[in-house]
Amino acid sequence: MRATPALLAIALLLTPAAPAAATGAETMVYLQSVTTGLNAAVAGTSVVQHRPKGDEDHQQWTLSGRTLKEGGLCLGRSGDQAVMLACDSPDAQWDVLPDADRHRLRVPGVDRYLVSAGDQVKVGAGDTLWYLTPVHPTRTPVPQDGTRRLDQVTFLTAHNAYANGVDGGFAPPFVNLAPNQQRGIAQQLADGVRGFQLDIHQTPDGAILCHNSCTWVGRPVALWVDVQKVVDFLRANPGEFVTIFLEDYVSAQVLNNELSRVNGLADVLFRPDQAGVRTTGWPTLNTLRATGKRLLIFTDHTRANDTPQRDSFGVMYQSEWTVENHWSMGSGLGTSDWSCYSRWSTPLTRTEPGFTPLFVMNHFRDVPFTGTATTDNGKLADRARRFCEPAARKTPNYLAVDHYHLGNPMAAVQTLSRERF
């Protein structure tokens, strides 16, 4: 039964106050499921959930009081279905109920809500929470260099940094023709690269840097060799911070043995688990410099059935400390997919009380053609601002690219380092 105007007025008086955006001022927002990380998008007269894709996929809604408008119609309901209706329809009205930085969209006068169900948007019982993320957010200027927390910094990151054709072999000869980078690790450090994505495979010689397999690789490089270069760089540059990301195909014991060969590693290795990051947040750069702990190492292994546990010797499980978008924008040629969605099962918006994961933004193709990488790297800041920041509700901390020396991706690092989402 439809509520009378008097009952609706009473219900609104009893409803917790909504934010300014929901009380009259028009604001463009993304309607993003807290559970799935997907955005509500218009498909004909239906409303579905799609991967966050900025302004390219009917995902930007105009929130005005109790309506959400897109393309001339408003988000409404027909039975259990979310549909697009005329904005003056009673079924296009919602109680927008805030819950901290999240919201519930309730059918006025009824205990029914807008809910996410797989890739569908429906109406029913449930407790689905939504982010109303501004399309044009107010960004906050970052503090001065030393007082910035680690999660307030953006680092240029080299995808497959070892696959450079300079330091040694990384793949069979015919694959070596398409390296991801064209400068060695030492030069990458000198050029300002501060994140290194490395693939390691297990051989009788230990943890070796190879792409897919070490079979037929000439002059392969051991992991400890490149880690030693990083440690030596940090010793010579006490103000710098470096992160290593391992795509990890070795046993925990082999990895431990490999890292034990690195002279001085313990002096610079940062242990967020021991620093209390989950309860007190990420430290400032000045704190890290004062302690000398300026190297963070992640593995993409999971903790389950890992013996010994890799974080027992200082290698952090990345999925516990970061969020990361899907690694590919498509093939090396042709159109690209700029949608920004999680590589893992948890959404990019994942947070915990007192703790914000670092955000790794991948920005590269399946095949690292130099021409494509040059064009893509020139669009890095644009993709970060329009697609990935609203998808994650945070500014990326690591921008991972192929051929970092092309297309000036450092300009994007500087842009994102001035103001944060």
Side-chain angles (χ1 to χ4, degrees):
M1 184 174 70
R2 210 180 291 279
T4 66
L7 288 176
L8 283 175
I10 293 172
L12 287 172
L13 287 172
L14 296 176
T15 297
T23 58
E26 288 193 352
T27 306
M28 290 186 69
V29 299
Y30 296 105
L31 183 59
Q32 184 179 30
S33 167
V34 173
T35 303
T36 66
L38 301 178
N39 283 348
V42 177
T45 59
S46 298
V47 184
V48 295
Q49 291 192 97
H50 284 174
R51 297 167 178 170
K53 203 171 183 179
D55 56 354
E56 296 187 0
D57 189 39
H58 302 286
Q59 298 181 0
Q60 295 183 345
W61 301 84
T62 299
L63 174 64
S64 180
R66 300 171 69 190
T67 62
L68 284 153
K69 182 178 181 181
E70 201 284 328
L73 296 175
C74 282
L75 173 66
R77 53 202 173 267
S78 176
D80 291 340
Q81 301 301 310
V83 296
M84 299 301 293
L85 299 173
C87 293
D88 60 0
S89 168
D91 288 325
Q93 301 287 309
W94 300 90
D95 291 340
V96 182
L97 309 178
D99 185 337
D101 61 343
R102 307 167 184 189
H103 294 78
R104 292 178 177 84
L105 272 67
R106 184 178 67 190
V107 177
V110 182
D111 193 23
R112 286 166 57 81
Y113 299 83
L114 191 72
V115 297
S116 60
D119 61 355
Q120 300 297 308
V121 180
K122 294 182 176 296
V123 179
D127 198 32
T128 295
L129 290 167
W130 301 87
Y131 289 115
L132 298 177
T133 302
V135 172
H136 305 292
T138 300
R139 295 185 173 88
T140 304
V142 299
Q144 293 183 343
D145 174 79
T147 57
R148 298 178 197 173
R149 300 186 312 272
L150 192 59
D151 59 327
Q152 295 174 316
V153 184
T154 297
F155 298 100
L156 180 60
T157 300
H159 169 236
N160 287 352
Y162 65 95
N164 54 59
V166 175
D167 293 328
F170 63 90
F174 66 90
V175 181
N176 275 325
L177 297 175
N180 297 91
Q181 309 297 335
Q182 293 184 354
R183 299 177 180 180
I185 295 294
Q187 186 62 50
Q188 292 178 34
L189 286 162
D191 290 343
V193 175
R194 294 295 179 265
F196 297 85
Q197 294 180 334
L198 307 175
D199 292 11
I200 52 173
H201 292 263
Q202 188 164 323
T203 77
D205 297 319
I208 305 299
L209 296 163
C210 304
H211 193 259
N212 293 330
S213 168
C214 294
T215 303
W216 307 113
V217 175
R219 299 186 303 113
V221 177
L223 172 65
W224 77 268
V225 173
D226 278 357
V227 177
Q228 187 68 66
K229 292 176 183 177
V230 171
V231 171
D232 292 345
F233 171 83
L234 291 172
R235 284 173 166 172
N237 298 272
E240 300 297 333
F241 186 90
V242 172
T243 306
I244 293 174
F245 301 89
L246 299 178
E247 187 173 322
D248 188 347
Y249 301 99
V250 308
S251 70
Q253 191 58 59
V254 164
L255 180 57
N256 192 14
N257 293 342
E258 189 78 13
L259 294 177
S260 68
R261 302 179 66 181
V262 180
N263 293 324
L265 176 60
D267 297 333
V268 298
L269 189 61
F270 173 53
R271 296 284 302 270
D273 54 339
Q274 295 180 352
V277 167
R278 294 203 103 81
T279 55
T280 61
W282 295 99
T284 66
L285 293 179
N286 275 347
T287 298
L288 294 164
R289 290 162 181 160
T291 61
K293 305 300 186 180
R294 293 170 292 115
L295 173 61
L296 183 55
I297 303 179
F298 289 119
T299 174
D300 67 354
H301 254 279
T302 57
R303 181 181 297 277
N305 303 317
D306 202 21
T307 305
Q309 299 281 282
R310 291 170 202 244
D311 55 3
S312 68
F313 52 88
V315 176
M316 301 293 105
Y317 294 101
Q318 187 186 342
S319 61
E320 297 179 4
W321 298 96
T322 77
V323 293
E324 179 177 340
N325 68 308
H326 180 64
W327 60 270
S328 173
M329 294 193 298
S331 68
L333 296 173
T335 58
S336 59
D337 179 5
W338 280 33
S339 64
C340 210
Y341 59 100
S342 182
R343 177 184 177 184
W344 300 317
S345 59
T346 54
L348 295 176
T349 53
R350 176 174 67 88
T351 58
E352 301 171 20
F355 169 70
T356 300
L358 302 176
F359 176 21
V360 181
M361 177 183 158
N362 294 313
H363 184 79
F364 46 83
R365 309 286 190 105
D366 296 354
V367 181
F369 294 126
T370 56
T372 304
T374 300
T375 301
D376 287 346
N377 290 348
K379 299 177 180 179
L380 179 54
D382 184 47
R383 183 183 182 216
R385 288 294 199 219
R386 287 202 296 130
F387 293 78
C388 291
E389 272 192 339
R393 294 174 56 84
K394 60 177 75 73
T395 299
N397 300 104
Y398 299 92
L399 299 178
V401 299
D402 285 329
H403 298 299
Y404 75 88
H405 67 295
L406 301 175
N408 195 16
M410 185 60 80
V413 172
Q414 294 166 351
T415 295
L416 300 182
S417 294
R418 288 192 288 267
E419 294 181 326
R420 314 296 286 183
F421 190 99

